[in-house]
Amino acid sequence: MLWKWCLRLFVILLGLWLLLDFASRLGAEIFWFQEVGYLQVFLLRLVTKVSLVLFVTVVSAVYLWGNLWLAQKLKYPASLKIAQIKREEAGLSAELKNLLSPQYAKYDNSQITYTGVLPIKLRWLLPVVVIFSLLVGLMLAHYGQISFAYWQASANKASLPVISLFRLETIWALGRQITTQILYVALVGGVAIAILMYPRWLLTAIAGTFSILFGWIMHQNWGKVLQYFYPTSFNYSEPLFNQDISFYIFSLPVWELMELWLMGLCLFGFLAVSLTYLLSAESLSQGIFPGFSSQQQRHLYGVGGLLMLVVAWSYWLSRYELVYSQQGVSYGASYTDVTTQLPAYTLLCVLAVAIAFYLLGRTIFWRPKSTYRKFVGYGLSVYLLIAVASGVILPQVVQYLIVQPNELQREEPYIKRSIALTRQAFDLEAIDARTFNPQGTLTEADIKANDSTIRNIRLWDQRPLLDTNRQLQQIRPYYRFPGADIDRYTLASDAIEQPPTTNTTPTELIERRQVLIAARELDYGAVPQQAQTWVNRHLIYTHGYGFTLSPVNTVAPGGLPEYFVKDIAGTANGALTTSSAAIRDSIPIGLPRIYYGEITNTYVMTGTRVRELDYPSGSDNAYNIYDGSGGISIGSLWRRWLFAMYLKDWQMLFTRDFLPETKVLFRRNINQRIRAIAPFLKFDSDPYLVAADPRIGTGFPGVNNNLFWIVDAYTTSDRYPYSDPNNDGINYIRNSVKVVIDAYNGTVNFYIADSQDPIIQTWANIFPKMFKPLSAMPATIRNHIRYPVDFFQIQAERLMTYHMTDPQVFYNREDQWQIPNEIYGDKSRPVEAYYLITSLPTVPFEEFILLLPYTPRQRTNLIAWLAARSDGDNYGKLLLYIFPKERLVYGTEQIEARINQDPVISQQISLWNRQGSKATQGNLLVIPIQQSLLYVEPIYLEATQNSLPTLVRVVVAYENRIVMAQTLEQALKAIFQPEVTPEPAIVRPFEEGNSPSQ
C-alpha cells in the first residue's frame, strides 16, 4: 500500500513541476517579448500554435478513436467458431445445430448478420493483414521522420524541411530506404508483428501517437497557416494554369499540409478498422476469416469513401505540383508532364471522386444486398491499374518515343518558362547587363585621377587582421574578436593625413574610406577555470568593450595593420585610443560597451550590489553599473522565483546581491535574439558592427549608444513555380529586411528594405506593428547598409546558368559560367565576393560596391563580372559587365599562375617558406578602373607558432606586366613609371608567346 501512495505522490509532484515549468516559460517569454517590444508578435504566434495543435490533435483523436471504438463494437467476438459459419452455409436448421453442438447457444451472437460474403482463407488473409500492418509501420516511419526533422529544425533555429507527402511513390521510396537500413527494418517489422499479436491496444496507442504527430507537424507550420489568410498578390501569373504566383507561395503549401494530415488520418483510419475486423474471431489462429458482416461493410465503405476523397484531392494538387517537376531538361513542367501527367492526374482525380461518392452514397443509403457490390472491387482494381500505367509507364513511353528524338523542339516553350521565372524569383531580371571591353590604356594620370579607388584597395584580408587583433588588441584573455567586417566611413581629411593643397575646397575636406571593423566582445569561456564562479559569470563579467577600426590599405611600421581606433584608453578624452583628433571627431565612439553581441551567450544580472567589470585599466580594473534600457526587472520575490525556474538557476533565490532595481539580461546573442522574434525570416550569416550616432528618438530609446549591429534578413520560398532551386532548396529570395540591434540596450528594429516583395508585405499585414519603412532608420546608420554577401552569392550562383536567355543556348549549355579559383595561403579555393570603393565604368563617381568575377566553364580567362551597388538611391542595383568573347582577359587563376611560375617572385616566396615561418598569398582582387582591370594581391609573412601576420609585399598585375614591391605605391610606380621603379620592386613582363589562349 505504501508504494501506491509513493507513486501517487510522485505523479502529483511531477505534474506540479511540469505545470510550474510551463508557467515559468510562458511568463518569462511574455516578459522578454514585452521588453523588446514585440509582445503582439509572440501572442499571435502562441495563439496560432496552440489553436492548431489542439484542433488537429483533437479532431484526429476523435476520428481515429471513434472509428476504432465502432470497429470494436462491430467486430466478431473471439468466441465465434468458423465451423458454425460453415454449418449455416450448409443450410442446417437451428435445432440440428443445437443438437450437434450444445454449446452453440452459448456462443451465438444474434446481432451479427451474414450477407453471403465469402470467407477469406489463410493464404489470402495472411498477406493482406501483413501488408496492412507493414503500411501502418511505414506510415509511422514517414510521419516520425517528418516530426523529427521539424524538431531538429526547431532546436537548431533552422528553416523548416520540405514536406514529403505520403503518396504511392512515397511508399515505394520508403520501402527502398527501409531495406537498406536495419533500424527501419526492425521498426517497421516490429510494428507489423506487434499489431498482429496485440491489435486492439496497439492500434489504439498508434492512433494516439498519430494524433500527437499530426498536431506537432501543423504546430510547426503556423507561419504557412497565417500567410494563407493574408496573401499578397504578385501581379504575375504562371503560364500553365494561369494562377497568380501568390497561389503557389501562400495557398498551395497549406493545401499540401492539409493533404499530409488528412491522408495520414484517413489512410490509418481505414487500415486500423480493416485490421480490427480481419483479426477478429481469432481468424489467424483458425486459418480463415468469416467475411465482413453487413455493419462492417457499411463502416468500411464510409472510411473508404473519405479516403478516396483525400486521394482525389491529392491528385488534384499533383496537377499544380507539376510546376516543380524535375523530369525534363529544365526545371518545372515539361512536355511529358503537360501532355501526359496532367491529363492523367485529372482523370484519376475525377475517378477517385466518383468512387468516393459511390462509397459514401452506399454508406448513407445502405442496403445489405446490392447487385453492384462486386463492382467496387473491380473499380478499385482498374483505378490502381490506371494510376500505375499513367504515372509510370505512359510517361516513360512518351519521353522515349516522342520527346527525346525532338527534345529541343518539344521542350523549347518550357525552357523559356523556366528561364523567365527563375530569373524573376532570384531577381536576376533587375540586372543591367553591359559590354565591357578593357582597353589597356591606363596611365599614371588615370591612377592619380582615381586616387580614391587606389586609396581603398584592400590589402588586409579579414583572417590576417583578426590574427593580428587577437595578438595585439584583445588586451585580456577574456576578450575576443569573433569577426572583422568590411564597411566604409566618412573621415575628415586630417584623419587621413592628406597634405593640403592650394586649391582645396570644403567638399574635399572629407573622404570615404574602406575599413575593417572588429568588435571586442567578452568570451566568458576564456576566463580562467578557477575564476569561473557564479558571481563572476552572472554579475561581474557582463560585457565586452570597444572595437578596432583599421584602414584596409595602409601598413604601420613593421608590416602590421594601422589602427584608426584601438586599445582601451579609459581617459577623459575618450574610451578608446584614436590615431588623431580628427578620427575622434569622425568616428562616434561614446561609451562602447557591448552587452549584446555575436558570442554573448550568458545571461547576466545588472544593477546589483556587485560592480560590473568595465575594462582593464593598467594594473587595476574600471567598474560600471549598467544603466541601459535592456533587461527585465527581477526585484520582487515572485519574479526571482519565476526566472530561477525558467533559467534553472536556483542561486538567484539565495544571493544577497540583488537590489529592487536588479534586472536580468538574457538572450543576448544577437543571432538568437532576432531569430526568437522573427523565426519566419532567414538571416544573413555575417552580422556587422556599425559605429554611428543614431540621433536619439528615432527608434532607439534609452541611454545614448553609438554601437549597433546590422543583420540582413531574407524572405524565401521553395514554392515559386518553374524556378530552379539552389542547393539549399530555395527558389525565391529577396533581401527584404534590415535588422538593427543596439549593442548596449538590446533594442531590435526591423526595417523593410524591399517594399515590393509580396512575402514581406504579407508578414507586415500579419504583424502590423513589427516592421518599419527603411526611411525610418536613422540616416547615420542607413549610410552603412550594404548589399549582403549571402544574397549576392546566391544570385551570382544562379546567374552562372541563367544568364543564358536563348532556349537553344541554354539547352546546349554552351555558355555556362563558373566562379574562378584563387590561391589563398597555399590552397586553391573559389573567389569570394569582395567589397570595393571604386567608380564603375561610365559612372563618374566612386561608390561602395560588391564585386565577383566569372570565367567560362572549364576555362580560366575572365568572361564577366557582377557588381552590386550599396550607396544611397543606387542601393540594390546590379550591373553585369560582359567581356568580348573574342578577346583574352586574364582570369585570377592565370594571374596566380604567373605569380607562382615567375622564377624571381616564386624564389622569394620559397625563401620565406622556411622553417618557422610561411608566406601566405592573400585575396587576389580584380579592380576595375575606368576601362581597364588592375590585379592586386597582398602577401603576408607569419610565424607557424603564435602567428602575427605582417604585410611584406604587394603584387600588382596590369596587362603584360607583373610587379612585386613592398608597398602598393611602389608597385604602381613600377607598373606605370618603369623608368623610376624603386627597389626592391620586382618587375616581370608577361611573355606573350606563352600567354594562355582563350
Side-chain angles (χ1 to χ4, degrees), residues 415-416 419 423 429 801-810:
I415 294 174
K416 288 181 178 178
I419 294 173
R423 289 174 60 86
E429 289 288 347
T801 299
Y802 287 93
H803 70 277
M804 297 179 286
T805 55
D806 183 87
Q808 183 167 352
V809 175
F810 183 92

Side-chain angles (χ1 to χ4, degrees), residues 269-341:
F270 177 79
L271 294 174
V273 169
S274 300
L275 286 169
T276 300
Y277 292 146
L278 290 171
L279 295 174
S280 63
E282 297 183 356
S283 57
L284 288 182
S285 61
Q286 296 196 60
I288 190 171
F289 174 68
F292 295 105
S293 69
S294 178
Q295 294 93 332
Q296 292 172 357
Q297 291 179 54
R298 186 175 187 180
H299 189 193
L300 286 173
Y301 278 4
V303 293
L306 292 177
L307 175 60
M308 289 307 297
L309 273 181
V310 177
V311 170
W313 191 24
S314 175
Y315 276 115
W316 185 256
L317 295 183
S318 297
R319 299 167 67 254
Y320 295 109
E321 289 161 2
L322 289 174
V323 297
Y324 312 118
S325 172
Q326 302 184 44
Q327 304 302 319
V329 295
S330 60
Y331 189 83
S334 63
Y335 177 88
T336 302
D337 294 319
V338 173
T339 59
T340 306
Q341 296 284 75

Side-chain angles (χ1 to χ4, degrees), residues 594-905:
I594 302 175
Y595 279 83
Y596 300 85
E598 293 186 82
I599 59 172
T600 47
N601 297 316
T602 59
Y603 58 90
V604 298
M605 276 67 76
T606 62
T608 66
R609 288 187 174 91
V610 180
R611 294 182 303 167
E612 305 167 35
L613 172 66
D614 204 19
Y615 54 84
S617 179
S619 59
D620 202 357
N621 292 324
Y623 294 91
N624 176 62
I625 295 178
Y626 180 72
D627 58 351
S629 62
I632 303 166
S633 175
I634 55 171
S636 59
L637 182 60
W638 73 271
R639 288 200 178 193
R640 288 173 67 174
W641 272 98
L642 176 71
F643 282 96
M645 185 75 181
Y646 175 71
L647 298 171
K648 301 299 182 287
D649 186 351
W650 306 112
Q651 296 190 55
M652 293 175 63
L653 300 176
F654 305 106
T655 180
R656 297 189 178 185
D657 293 322
F658 286 1
L659 298 170
E661 58 270 21
T662 297
K663 297 193 292 186
V664 60
L665 282 63
F666 69 96
R667 207 171 274 154
R668 298 190 301 139
N669 184 299
I670 60 172
N671 292 302
Q672 297 174 3
R673 197 171 185 84
I674 58 180
R675 282 168 174 80
I677 298 171
F680 48 86
L681 297 176
K682 181 179 177 65
F683 293 95
D684 195 86
S685 61
D686 185 26
Y688 61 100
L689 189 71
V690 167
D693 180 2
R695 308 185 192 280
I696 298 302
T698 52
F700 294 93
V703 176
N704 191 2
N705 171 61
N706 293 331
L707 289 185
F708 301 88
W709 296 96
I710 297 181
V711 187
D712 287 278
Y714 312 111
T715 52
T716 62
S717 177
D718 60 353
R719 298 283 86 187
Y720 203 93
Y722 281 100
S723 176
D724 188 6
N726 67 358
N727 294 331
D728 295 325
I730 295 172
N731 72 353
Y732 174 89
I733 186 170
R734 290 293 185 275
N735 176 213
S736 301
V737 178
K738 303 284 184 180
V739 189
V740 180
I741 307 104
D742 190 321
Y744 187 72
N745 300 296
T747 309
V748 181
N749 283 280
F750 294 84
Y751 300 96
I752 296 180
D754 184 358
S755 59
Q756 302 303 312
D757 173 32
I759 297 182
I760 201 59
Q761 292 178 32
T762 290
W763 285 118
N765 292 333
I766 295 171
F767 303 118
K769 297 181 180 179
M770 181 174 182
F771 298 98
K772 302 175 182 178
L774 191 62
S775 58
M777 183 187 293
T780 51
I781 298 179
R782 192 164 66 246
N783 290 336
H784 292 276
I785 63 173
R786 63 187 194 184
Y787 203 88
V789 174
D790 286 0
F791 184 40
F792 186 76
Q793 289 283 168
I794 290 175
Q795 291 180 299
E797 185 272 331
R798 290 289 81 189
L799 188 66
M800 291 191 298
T801 299
Y802 287 93
H803 70 277
M804 297 179 286
T805 55
D806 183 87
Q808 183 167 352
V809 175
F810 183 92
Y811 176 80
N812 296 329
R813 294 295 200 272
E814 61 186 68
D815 193 21
Q816 188 86 7
W817 294 350
Q818 67 182 6
I819 295 174
N821 291 325
E822 65 172 348
I823 302 294
Y824 194 90
D826 56 355
K827 296 180 180 179
S828 178
R829 70 174 191 181
V831 172
E832 297 177 352
Y834 49 91
Y835 291 101
L836 288 174
I837 291 182
T838 188
S839 59
L840 294 167
T842 70
V843 177
F845 53 86
E846 283 89 1
E847 57 185 316
F848 192 61
I849 67 168
L850 185 60
L851 185 144
L852 184 68
Y854 289 107
T855 61
R857 176 65 61 89
Q858 297 181 343
R859 307 292 287 275
T860 55
N861 58 285
L862 289 187
I863 191 65
W865 53 276
L866 179 66
R869 307 170 77 174
S870 295
D871 289 342
D873 295 336
N874 292 318
Y875 174 83
K877 294 182 179 179
L878 296 175
L879 294 171
L880 178 66
Y881 292 92
I882 302 174
F883 301 124
K885 293 183 180 180
E886 66 276 4
R887 181 175 177 189
L888 170 66
V889 179
Y890 288 107
T892 55
E893 291 170 274
Q894 293 171 326
I895 297 296
E896 295 281 17
R898 288 292 181 176
I899 294 172
N900 293 311
Q901 291 173 4
D902 185 278
V904 180
I905 296 177

Side-chain angles (χ1 to χ4, degrees), residues 170-183:
T170 308
I171 296 174
W172 174 253
L174 274 174
R176 293 179 60 185
Q177 175 186 353
I178 285 172
T179 56
T180 61
Q181 300 184 25
I182 297 177
L183 180 62

Side-chain angles (χ1 to χ4, degrees), residues 902 904-905 961-965 970-971 973-975 978 981-982 984-990:
D902 185 278
V904 180
I905 296 177
R961 307 193 77 200
I962 185 168
V963 170
M964 184 171 75
Q970 290 177 348
K973 285 183 179 180
I975 288 284
T981 299
I986 301 173
V987 184
R988 306 289 295 176
F990 288 173

